[in-house]
Amino acid sequence: MRSWTDTLRFAFQPVVNLTTGAVAGLEILARPEGGDVLAEARRDPDLDGALAVSAIRAAARKETLLPLHVNVFAGTLADLGGLSPLHDAVRASGRLPWEVTLDVVPPFTHVPQQALLEALGGLREQGFRISADGAGDGDVPLRLLVDMAPDLVKLDRSLLRRPAAVRAMRTLCDELGALLVVEGVETERQCAVAVSAGAQLAQGELFAPPARLPAADVYVPPRFPGAVAAPRSGPSVRAFVRPAALLTGSPDVSGVLLVDRTGVPVRSVHRSRFLLSMSGRYGHALYADRPAAKLGDPPRTVGVDATAWEVLDVVAVGDRDRTSDDVAVVDRHGRCVGVVRLADLVRALAETRVEEAARLNPLTRLPGSDAVTGEVDRRIADGRPFALSWLDVDHFKQVNDTAGFAAGDELIRAVGRTLHGAAAADRFGATRVGHIGGDDFLVLADPEGLEPVAAAVLDAPWSAAGRPVTLSLATVVCPPGSVARHQEAAARLAPLKRAAKALHGASWVLGRAGLPGHEIRRGSLPVQAAGSAPVGAEPGLG
């Protein structure tokens, strides 16, 4: 009688880093030639554990040195309380546990959650990385997903038709310290949506189909317009991590990290310096029988939560001869989880700057509305209160017609500089400023940060070629849950803007999403309307 192992084969599918274009790992997929061993494994934890062990052994036979992703049912982990045979198989194959990510796959219904969490805790202590698979199309409860604290979250491609959900999941992943992966990507359009929505990793037929031999090359489309901009603190180093590779004949490999038995980096061997030492006069005689560590340098390391700018700081303070060395990325235990290359960081940061520059208004050098509205959507997804304001110059066309367009341009530049200064003075960094075009500006701030910005622009004595000028400001305060997207906040601003423009002098009108009426914070009513307030206004607040 033939065993299931006689007909079972494995295929490898790359997990691709969407920032660097490099292969970040290989998912090992069981491919039975007959029967439905996967359905049996779902019901039989021992069989599922045996499949995971077989997957590791299959990878060892293919001699791949890339990090591995192994699928395990959630019920298997809860029932077995961990996978001791898997740990032994990883060690026997010459690999280390932190080179293996366990993709915990559905179903989660009826799985004892506490038992699952305890099993995951034990595996994490051994060094295994944890991925929550099937999010978005599976049955993993959101509370369980948070409690799992995964290193990666894998989304089903069906969510790409709902980019807002992907962006919200990216926000959650950032809070959890996890990377976001989209599975099943088949078209360049889907890849573009994944990148724009904030996914950092992806896999699917577009890059490379599952194959019996690990793919040496993958196709990655060029970066797409509209990709998520890096935060002010700089992109996370997680987006640039490459697998730590052995020194081989590949020109793409720049060096090797030497780690101790616990996975902590101890030496860094640079490819070029190593080859120069070995090929120089007496090099072979001097070094051929000596430990490789003799030709290494102390490793440079950063934590997985570091930003790209922090990596550059590490490189900048070191020896100039080592600026091209890979930087080791370590987890909270000091174990190496990969390397970061300086070229990847510089390229990504340069692209970010170019994309930001392309979106800047040429007159004020402030970003356009997209930067502000994108941040509005992020705060909505985060459940944060915010205040969105619309500022413009009163009767700006008359200013241009009487003082000239040059004086009008200088006035706009001055307003832009003042707004930029007010945003920079926000010690919490929560204020964003955008120049929509013409004399219109957007300001996004925390509700408690409104007054300093309003005072900066409304208290200043503005003029154009000696002609006094006033500004009008309309603000809508949006508590959590009051609006679902930035378009709703913008729609609520329109009537507030009309109310502000109806006042004399520098004016400021403030409304609250979900509540009728508005407050007049600055400005006075027209003479013909004296004794009566605009509809919805509250007299006495001006």
Side-chain angles (χ1 to χ4, degrees):
M1 181 177 178
R2 300 183 70 189
S3 167
W4 60 268
T5 57
D6 297 330
T7 60
L8 185 65
R9 300 291 182 270
F10 291 93
F12 301 86
Q13 185 168 44
V15 179
V16 176
N17 186 314
L18 294 174
T19 300
T20 65
V23 177
L26 294 170
E27 182 173 356
I28 313 174
L29 304 169
R31 291 290 186 263
E33 295 181 0
D36 196 350
V37 68
L38 296 181
E40 294 179 31
R42 176 176 169 177
R43 298 187 295 267
D44 186 345
D46 291 320
L47 176 57
D48 190 33
L51 280 174
V53 170
S54 296
I56 293 296
R57 291 172 178 167
R61 289 194 294 270
K62 301 301 181 183
E63 297 184 349
T64 176
L65 296 175
L66 287 166
L68 304 174
H69 288 245
V70 179
N71 292 302
V72 182
F73 286 110
T76 296
L77 296 176
D79 286 347
L80 298 183
L83 294 172
S84 298
L86 180 64
H87 183 273
D88 297 337
V90 169
R91 289 290 186 177
S93 67
R95 305 300 291 267
L96 298 171
W98 40 93
E99 299 176 75
V100 178
T101 298
L102 297 181
D103 287 357
V104 185
V105 299
F108 291 89
T109 303
H110 306 307
V111 172
Q113 294 188 7
Q114 188 57 40
L116 173 61
L117 294 175
E118 290 176 0
L120 291 177
L123 290 165
R124 189 175 280 112
E125 284 301 316
Q126 294 176 27
F128 289 103
R129 303 179 76 213
I130 305 300
S131 169
D133 206 343
D137 196 46
D139 61 345
V140 54
L142 189 58
R143 179 177 60 80
L144 177 60
L145 180 63
V146 173
D147 290 343
M148 287 172 64
D151 299 285
L152 297 93
V153 174
K154 288 192 172 184
L155 293 185
D156 185 81
R157 71 177 177 193
S158 62
L159 259 68
L160 293 177
R161 295 193 295 271
R162 302 168 179 82
V166 182
R167 288 193 293 269
M169 187 58 71
R170 169 61 192 272
T171 300
L172 175 61
C173 286
D174 288 344
E175 290 292 327
L176 297 177
L179 293 176
L180 184 61
V181 190
V182 175
E183 297 184 289
V185 176
E186 296 181 348
T187 67
E188 292 195 3
R189 174 60 184 165
Q190 289 176 336
C191 185
V193 174
V195 171
S196 297
Q200 296 134 317
L201 304 170
Q203 57 188 124
E205 297 277 346
L206 174 66
F207 312 106
R212 293 290 177 84
L213 293 176
D217 298 303
V218 295
Y219 169 72
V220 181
R223 295 286 286 180
F224 294 86
V228 174
R232 281 187 169 186
S233 57
S236 169
V237 73
R238 295 172 183 267
F240 303 93
V241 174
R242 291 175 177 262
L246 292 181
L247 197 61
T248 67
S250 171
D252 294 332
V253 177
S254 57
V256 60
L257 282 170
L258 305 180
V259 300
D260 63 17
R261 294 182 64 84
T262 64
V264 175
V266 291
R267 302 294 283 179
S268 173
V269 180
H270 189 267
R271 176 193 182 98
S272 297
R273 293 198 296 274
F274 174 84
L275 294 177
L276 283 173
S277 298
M278 291 297 295
S279 61
R281 191 176 185 182
Y282 308 123
H284 189 272
L286 287 172
Y287 302 114
D289 295 324
R290 304 186 69 184
K294 294 293 184 182
L295 290 174
D297 299 291
R300 293 172 169 175
T301 63
V302 295
V304 292
D305 296 321
T307 66
W309 293 111
E310 289 170 332
V311 177
L312 293 182
D313 289 340
V314 170
V315 174
V317 300
D319 189 340
R320 291 185 179 180
D321 293 336
R322 298 187 59 195
T323 54
S324 62
D325 287 17
D326 294 342
V327 177
V329 181
V330 298
D331 63 15
R332 61 189 180 90
H333 299 290
R335 301 177 302 216
C336 178
V337 298
V339 297
V340 173
R341 295 182 183 174
L342 181 62
D344 288 338
L345 297 182
V346 172
R347 185 183 305 111
L349 292 172
E351 289 174 353
T352 299
R353 290 293 181 260
V354 170
E355 291 172 1
E356 289 176 353
R359 293 193 292 267
L360 297 181
N361 186 285
L363 186 62
T364 59
R365 309 304 294 169
L366 291 175
S369 60
D370 287 350
V372 176
T373 56
E375 179 64 19
V376 168
D377 284 333
R378 281 189 284 275
R379 296 191 188 188
I380 292 173
D382 291 344
R384 294 173 55 188
F386 64 89
L388 184 63
S389 301
W390 185 355
L391 176 79
D392 75 346
V393 178
D394 294 329
H395 311 296
F396 183 65
K397 186 178 185 304
Q398 295 180 21
V399 172
N400 272 347
D401 289 345
T402 56
F405 71 87
D409 285 352
E410 180 53 39
L411 173 63
I412 296 302
R413 280 192 287 266
V415 173
R417 287 193 297 268
T418 299
L419 285 173
H420 182 270
D426 181 354
R427 62 192 182 95
F428 297 106
T431 303
R432 303 285 187 272
V433 176
H435 186 180
I436 305 174
D439 64 320
D440 292 298
F441 297 86
L442 283 180
V443 181
L444 174 65
D446 286 343
E448 58 271 19
L450 278 173
E451 288 289 349
V453 178
V457 291
L458 297 180
D459 290 347
W462 299 104
S463 64
R467 175 191 175 96
V469 173
T470 58
L471 307 183
S472 294
L473 181 67
T475 299
V476 58
V477 177
C478 299
S482 60
V483 293
R485 52 184 183 167
H486 74 264
Q487 289 91 339
E488 293 183 24
R492 298 181 194 280
L493 266 180
L496 299 175
K497 182 73 176 305
R498 290 194 296 271
K501 301 297 284 187
L503 301 175
H504 281 322
S507 61
W508 181 17
V509 166
L510 183 145
R512 302 180 187 278
L515 296 178
H518 57 262
E519 303 174 16
I520 299 176
R521 293 285 183 93
R522 300 282 184 95
S524 59
L525 298 173
V527 173
Q528 62 270 26
S532 62
V535 175
E538 298 179 19
L541 291 174

